[in-house]
Amino acid sequence: MTTSSNDGCSESPSEAFERALATLLRESFARGTEVEDTWEVTSPSDLVPDWRISIEKTSGAAPPDNGCDFVDE
């Protein structure tokens, strides 16, 4: 994965991954997708490790009922 930043600061691959994951979670939550779960990510290749990812909501926020008034922070 190659990333570039518009502000001139370079970020590490870990920082880019964390930023992309946070964006995915926020946008999924805003669309009402249930993302709290444990996910198994496997690869058919022995060269790529398998991963277990647990996503746990840590606050009581809830998306609005009508789905179109979500505030993007």
Side-chain angles (χ1 to χ4, degrees):
M1 178 165 92
T2 304
T3 61
S4 61
S5 178
N6 293 334
D7 62 5
C9 296
S10 62
E11 61 185 3
S12 72
S14 293
E15 291 168 329
F17 173 79
E18 186 175 345
R19 184 175 44 78
L21 180 59
T23 299
L24 173 67
L25 290 172
R26 283 188 206 107
E27 289 177 0
S28 297
F29 172 77
R31 291 185 181 104
T33 303
E34 181 60 46
V35 295
E36 188 173 19
D37 203 344
T38 299
W39 303 87
E40 299 287 335
V41 180
T42 59
S43 171
S45 171
D46 290 338
L47 299 175
V48 179
D50 296 340
W51 299 88
R52 177 175 299 125
I53 303 163
S54 296
I55 300 174
E56 180 181 340
K57 184 169 42 173
T58 59
S59 71
D65 291 336
N66 63 7
C68 63
D69 289 337
F70 194 84
V71 178
D72 185 17
E73 294 184 13

